[in-house]
Amino acid sequence: MTIYELECFVALARYLNFTKAAEYMHLTQPAFSRHIIFMEKELNVNLLFRNKRSVYLTAAGEAFLAEAKNILEHYHEGLSKALQAEKGNVGRIKIGMLSEQFNDLLSKSIKMFTESYPSIEVEINEYTSSSMISALKKYDIDIGFTISPGISAIDDIVWKSNMKFEQAVALPWNHPLSERDSVDIKELEDEMFIFLDPENFAIVNDVALQMCLENHFNPRVAKRATSISGLLTLVECGKGVSIIPYHFKNQFSHKVHIIKLSGQCSSVERIFAWRKNNSNPCLPLFISKLVTDN
């Protein structure tokens, strides 16, 4: 039994006239009648009572009509959703976020996106800088909000910059340099450094290390932390200093001084990145919204 045959039966139930129902379905009456006869044979019930003067539904026909209408309604609803999904208007987009660094951008962008495309589900998961690259490569996420080191050199990943990070140094409250407006990175050569856990923050560590090497010294690492908050706690306790993005200044309440760095510093950009050959039709809509609204 086909969708078309169900539509024939519903049309006949509507008109209770073979000639009018056949015209509605753009069929000759004999062809239309064959569809109805085939349905009754397949179901092994009489759906209609007909004679030369009238046509009406049997009890079986009335029961089947309700189900036929439901089937057709679900079919057309499913077809509509499939067409919308192909255009990207229905579906799901999976987003990867690098810690708290993108809360401002994401909250604004997702709000605007869901207002424009309410039928697209948005899934957000947090990643470290290194696991973000792996997630993009394996299509675990469609788009990632991360930092430029480690991403920009990968051929099949496309990215756009959202903003540049000013780099800063986190100093203990009573550090001799803590009252300065800026600190030249070369002045940190003799300091002990707090770095992040290399397993989860390899790229962030690489940025800090590269900045030191560009200024002709190799940092001495005193401690490693498993989170930004933990890193700042170690700085607060006087265990060392750390190179971090300046915008962390207003995101944590630790009793430390976060002072802009001057001198030769590596450029770090906040970016959103995606695979060039990602086939999710929702992705171009999301990227377009990001570019337009930001």
Side-chain angles (χ1 to χ4, degrees):
M1 188 180 304
T2 66
I3 292 295
Y4 189 73
E5 286 168 344
L6 288 175
E7 289 175 336
C8 286
F9 174 68
V10 171
L12 183 55
R14 176 185 177 186
Y15 290 103
L16 294 177
N17 183 292
F18 274 81
T19 301
K20 290 181 179 180
E23 288 175 355
Y24 177 79
M25 296 301 297
H26 304 290
L27 291 171
T28 63
Q29 185 173 329
F32 182 86
S33 296
R34 283 195 294 271
H35 283 299
I36 301 301
I37 292 169
F38 178 81
M39 289 178 64
E40 289 183 312
K41 285 183 178 179
E42 185 175 352
L43 294 170
N44 197 29
V45 295
N46 291 320
L47 298 173
L48 302 146
F49 173 84
R50 60 268 220 189
N51 57 32
K52 292 182 179 181
R53 293 185 177 182
S54 62
V55 176
Y56 60 84
L57 297 179
T58 63
E62 292 283 1
F64 186 70
L65 176 63
E67 298 304 320
K69 286 181 176 179
N70 285 335
I71 291 169
L72 290 174
E73 182 180 347
H74 286 303
Y75 167 75
H76 289 296
E77 183 181 348
L79 179 60
S80 176
K81 286 183 177 180
L83 293 172
Q84 291 297 312
E86 187 177 38
K87 296 176 183 178
N89 295 331
V90 173
R92 180 173 64 165
I93 185 163
K94 295 176 288 184
I95 299 172
M97 180 180 76
L98 182 63
S99 187
E100 301 89 353
Q101 297 184 26
F102 290 89
N103 282 346
D104 58 333
L105 173 62
L106 266 181
S107 58
K108 175 186 174 184
S109 298
I110 290 174
K111 182 177 184 294
M112 292 182 173
F113 181 73
T114 53
E115 286 174 353
S116 299
Y117 302 100
S119 296
I120 297 179
E121 179 186 351
V122 177
E123 177 185 314
I124 305 173
N125 288 296
E126 190 171 311
Y127 291 85
T128 63
S129 52
S130 53
S131 64
M132 180 83 70
I133 295 175
S134 175
L136 281 167
K137 286 183 174 180
K138 294 189 294 184
Y139 296 99
D140 289 340
I141 56 175
D142 296 302
I143 188 167
F145 290 76
T146 183
I147 55 177
S148 54
I151 289 280
S152 55
I154 301 175
D155 290 338
D156 64 342
I157 290 183
V158 184
W159 60 276
K160 288 186 179 293
S161 175
N162 172 253
M163 66 174 285
K164 284 190 175 182
F165 288 135
E166 290 185 280
Q167 298 302 297
V169 59
L171 301 170
W173 200 254
N174 59 352
H175 193 281
L177 300 174
S178 62
E179 299 301 320
R180 301 268 291 276
D181 292 329
S182 66
V183 173
D184 191 311
I185 190 171
K186 291 179 180 178
E187 296 180 84
L188 304 176
E189 182 174 358
D190 296 326
E191 299 287 343
M192 299 300 293
F193 280 80
I194 311 296
F195 270 42
L196 288 162
D197 173 23
E199 184 175 345
N200 293 321
F201 295 93
I203 294 174
V204 178
N205 282 347
D206 288 347
V207 170
L209 177 61
Q210 185 62 31
M211 290 176 63
C212 295
L213 294 177
E214 285 176 1
N215 286 275
H216 311 294
F217 71 91
N218 199 349
R220 295 178 296 159
V221 180
K223 298 281 185 180
R224 295 189 183 273
T226 57
S227 66
I228 300 294
S229 180
L231 179 147
L232 293 176
T233 298
L234 289 171
V235 173
E236 184 177 2
C237 293
K239 301 299 182 182
V241 304
S242 188
I243 295 173
I244 61 173
Y246 181 69
H247 71 270
F248 282 153
K249 181 179 178 70
N250 299 318
Q251 295 186 20
F252 295 90
S253 58
H254 296 73
K255 200 172 182 181
V256 299
H257 287 281
I258 297 178
I259 301 171
K260 290 181 182 179
L261 283 172
S262 60
Q264 186 177 344
C265 299
S266 297
S267 173
V268 179
E269 294 179 281
R270 189 171 75 167
I271 65 172
F272 48 95
W274 65 96
R275 290 287 296 274
K276 189 183 298 183
N277 58 348
N278 187 307
S279 60
N280 185 349
C282 301
L283 180 59
L285 299 177
F286 188 74
I287 293 170
S288 176
K289 204 70 180 168
L290 277 174
V291 173
T292 302
D293 296 331
N294 293 283

